[in-house]
């Protein structure tokens, strides 16, 4: 406590962050923020090479792990790179395989559920023994308004993102006594994922946002940093929308 009130710095100096889906979009902006806030970041992506320049400028604080989050060995390799200290886990990796449900193949279903839900679970299960032992941890999962209110053409994605909300709340209860918080953000930002949606459908989504626009990726980062901060230690099991009001 300072003379003027509580210390609120969101400083990540000395913290280790494991982050998935790091090479572009919201993930890339988040990785950049953690690095500039002093953290050591272990960044997972299917292809982390776009982060090469950032790694060169990071003084060894950015470690790249190439791999698929749906494979448990990717989580194991990231944890091994951490030397056992993991303060923050950000589950952000994601894919779309949008189709009306009668056209969703077994592969479209499995891929989306595996990347979002199983992938997040794989990372959580690998990281939490270290967080529990340390008596400290911050986990931020990524859901979507699709998981809250459902989205046309996204039965697989809506199921995965709703599953992430349920998992977030269950594991928040399991870890509350260990000093580990588990929350989720629900973003709505202009990224390659949004660009992959056909223009007319994308415009329908944009018009459905009370703010009538998508966020920039950097507008999403403060919510993630807040939930990942030491200061947010009494917040767990929540979903924080950063979505211009689309879930209202
Ligand atoms: N952009 C939005 O408006 C929006 C809305 C709601 C939720 N989200 C969620 O936010 C997260 C980030 O979305 P984005 O828009 O930045 O996406 P993006 O497509 O721009 O980036 C996703 C990143 O995840 C990586 N990735 C994909 N599959 C992976 C896998 N199996 N293993 C490891 N890495 C993998 C990709 O290579 C990419 O770098 C996702 O979970 C997405 O579902 C985004």
């Amino acid at each position: 406590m300072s003379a003027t009130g509580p210390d609120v710095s969101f400083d990540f100096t000395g913290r280790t962050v494991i982050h998935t889906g790091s090479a572009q979009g919201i993930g890339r902006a988040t990785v950049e923020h953690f690095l500039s806030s002093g953290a050591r970041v272990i960044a997972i992506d299917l292809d982390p090479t776009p982060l090469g320049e950032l790694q060169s400028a990071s003084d060894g604080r950015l470690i790249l792990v190439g791999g698929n989050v749906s494979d448990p060995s990717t989580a194991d390799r990231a944890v091994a790179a951490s030397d056992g200290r993991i303060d923050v886990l950000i589950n952000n990796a994601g894919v779309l395989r949008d189709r009306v449900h009668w056209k969703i193949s077994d592969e479209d279903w499995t891929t989306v559920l595996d990347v979002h839900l199983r992938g997040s679970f794989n990372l959580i299960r690998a990281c939490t023994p270290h967080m529990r032992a340390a008596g400290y941890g911050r986990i931020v999962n990524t859901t979507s308004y699709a998981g809250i209110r459902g989205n046309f053409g996204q039965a697989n994605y809506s199921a995965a993102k709703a599953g992430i909300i349920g998992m977030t709340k269950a594991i928040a209860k399991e870890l509350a006594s260990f000093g580990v918080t588990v929350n989720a953000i629900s973003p709505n930002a202009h990224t390659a994922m949004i660009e992959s949606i056909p223009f007319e459908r994308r415009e329908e989504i944009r018009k459905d946002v009370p703010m009538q626009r998508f966020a920039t990726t950097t507008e999403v980062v403060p919510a993630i940093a807040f939930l990942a901060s030491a200061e947010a230690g009494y917040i767990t099991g929540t979903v924080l929308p950063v979505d211009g009001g689309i879930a209202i």
Side-chain angles (χ1 to χ4, degrees):
M1 183 86 77
S2 73
T4 52
D7 294 320
V8 180
S9 63
F10 302 163
D11 182 17
F12 290 93
T13 305
R15 300 284 189 196
T16 296
V17 178
I18 293 187
H19 185 288
T20 77
S22 308
Q24 64 178 35
I26 296 166
R28 165 123 194 177
T30 306
V31 167
E32 287 179 5
H33 174 77
F34 279 124
L35 286 173
S36 67
S37 304
R40 179 172 71 131
V41 181
I42 299 165
I44 301 171
D45 204 283
L46 286 173
D47 175 13
T49 51
L51 297 168
E53 249 179 62
L54 205 55
Q55 185 189 33
S56 309
S58 74
D59 294 327
R61 286 190 296 112
L62 178 58
I63 298 165
L64 304 183
V65 175
N68 188 330
V69 291
S70 44
D71 177 351
S73 72
T74 302
D76 293 341
R77 283 188 291 120
V79 169
S82 75
D83 302 326
R85 172 162 190 172
I86 305 159
D87 300 286
V88 176
L89 166 64
I90 311 291
N91 275 313
N92 167 78
V95 288
L96 298 179
R97 293 287 184 275
D98 291 0
R99 284 157 187 54
V100 284
H101 77 274
W102 57 86
K103 292 184 180 171
I104 289 180
S105 65
D106 288 346
E107 194 189 343
D108 292 335
W109 178 265
T110 306
T111 299
V112 171
L113 269 289
D114 274 2
V115 174
H116 292 272
L117 191 51
R118 188 190 297 268
S120 299
F121 178 71
N122 285 342
L123 266 295
I124 292 170
R125 187 177 52 186
C127 290
T128 54
H130 301 280
M131 293 178 170
R132 285 165 53 209
Y136 181 90
R138 299 283 179 266
I139 299 172
V140 183
N141 298 319
T142 308
T143 185
S144 164
Y145 73 95
I148 297 166
R149 44 172 271 197
N151 223 1
F152 187 97
Q154 292 192 323
N156 47 4
Y157 184 75
S158 301
K161 291 306 201 186
I164 284 175
I165 295 173
M167 180 175 67
T168 296
K169 291 173 188 279
I171 298 178
K173 288 182 175 173
E174 292 174 357
L175 292 175
S177 64
F178 293 94
V180 181
T181 65
V182 190
N183 293 289
I185 59 143
S186 177
N188 194 33
H190 199 123
T191 64
M193 181 177 277
I194 295 295
E195 281 287 325
S196 74
I197 298 170
F199 178 75
E200 282 175 15
R201 175 70 191 124
R202 204 190 319 150
E203 274 298 282
E204 282 172 11
I205 297 170
R206 185 186 63 72
K207 288 176 186 158
D208 204 16
V209 181
M211 291 190 184
Q212 298 283 292
R213 66 176 181 88
F214 294 100
T216 63
T217 55
T218 49
E219 283 180 295
V220 180
V221 172
I224 299 168
F226 168 59
L227 291 173
S229 71
E231 287 87 341
Y234 199 58
I235 301 172
T236 199
T238 63
V239 177
L240 178 53
V242 193
D243 67 356
I246 195 170
I248 296 171

